[in-house]
Amino acid sequence: MAPSRQNQAPPYAKDEKVLCFHGDLMYEAKIIEVSVKPGQKPEDAQYRIHYKGWKASWDDWVSQDRIRKFTEDNKQLASQLQAQARMRTQGPKGSKKGVKTNGSEMSSARGSEERAAGSSSFGGRGPRRGRDYELESEDVFHARPSIKLIIPDILKALLVDDWENITKNNQLVPLPHPHPVSDILSDYSEYEATRRPAGSSHVDILDETLQGLKEYFNKSLGRILLYRFERAQYAEVYKKWQQPEDPQFHGKSACETYGPEHLMRLLVSLPELIAQTNMDQQSVNRLREELVKFCSWLSKHTTEYFVSHYESPPQDYIQKAKD
């Protein structure tokens, strides 16, 4: 007879070397304690993590979805995420592809086709390393803006898939999206509002947050949320928004045309964007709580909202996009 799930060992063990997500980056760590409460499933265990090279005061309790096995593939992914984060902070000077920095071609480092999924540095209070895991000085680290936003693992994986589909496979998200951002935010509003006292400030905060996401998305899509390969598609869509003879697009906004794939790019960019505002800490904390709730809800509805297949454009589009 197979052992019951409750009698099985947790997937990670004490003293095991692992990689651990902090924000949207991964760092080398060691499991120093494993906690499984009576009646708890093995996959619900909590792990006390010690980040290599940092004081014990930085030790953290995390769940299984924050941890990855210490394999060559996962080390490569960790290095890639860190390298892309450095590219973002360096801006155009760090790019080796000769991407134009004027006009709409590249209004931020995220305009490059080398933008990796989840590449924005969350600036969370946690260790950061380069490709060779060299440590950044704590003084420099503490001087960075700090807004921590945890993205569920399944959404990070979708971001990586999105990046590969577009930048490696030369594919595009089909537009108009069958589940545009406006519909997703509306569905979430209906779901979440029923869980808050009617007419309360909590409902007002929810409405303000979702309205803010719409405005940020509409204003930032063409500026910082597109890969280079998508810009020709965006130019075509932008024209269709102005053409009355095309009812699928006419009069619509970015929120009504693009879907969760592009919304996720905004969400991983928000910590950096928020750090550049004059929001007070209380407002930032409240916004972060709302975004964490939304991301958690979205992670449970990925099969419903995200497209399962990207479209392959004709060869003339591919040539135009690369010129």
Side-chain angles (χ1 to χ4, degrees), residues 151-166:
I151 301 294
D153 241 20
I154 188 172
L155 297 181
K156 293 177 184 176
L158 288 169
L159 276 166
V160 174
D161 291 344
D162 177 57
W163 171 70
E164 290 183 346
N165 285 335
I166 295 170

Side-chain angles (χ1 to χ4, degrees), residues 138-153:
E138 290 195 44
D139 289 341
V140 174
F141 169 76
H142 283 297
R144 297 175 60 85
S146 175
I147 297 179
K148 180 180 178 182
L149 179 61
I150 301 300
I151 301 294
D153 241 20

Side-chain angles (χ1 to χ4, degrees), residues 177-191 210 214 255 258-264 267 294 297-298 301-302 304-306:
H177 199 285
H179 302 289
V181 171
S182 57
D183 287 358
I184 294 173
L185 296 182
S186 178
D187 289 349
Y188 175 68
S189 178
E190 292 180 9
Y191 164 83
L210 299 184
K214 288 181 181 179
C255 272
Y258 287 78
E261 295 80 10
H262 291 81
L263 178 61
M264 281 309 307
L267 290 172
F294 173 71
W297 174 84
L298 184 60
H301 296 82
T302 54
E304 178 181 351
Y305 293 123
F306 287 78

Side-chain angles (χ1 to χ4, degrees), residues 265-280:
R265 301 181 203 174
L266 172 63
L267 290 172
V268 298
S269 302
L270 276 178
E272 177 192 357
L273 298 176
I274 294 171
Q276 298 173 13
T277 70
N278 58 0
M279 293 178 64
D280 59 77

Side-chain angles (χ1 to χ4, degrees), residues 70-85:
F70 197 77
T71 63
E72 289 302 320
D73 286 345
N74 287 334
K75 286 193 291 183
Q76 183 177 2
L77 175 59
S79 297
Q80 181 185 43
L81 293 175
Q82 184 62 265
Q84 296 297 332

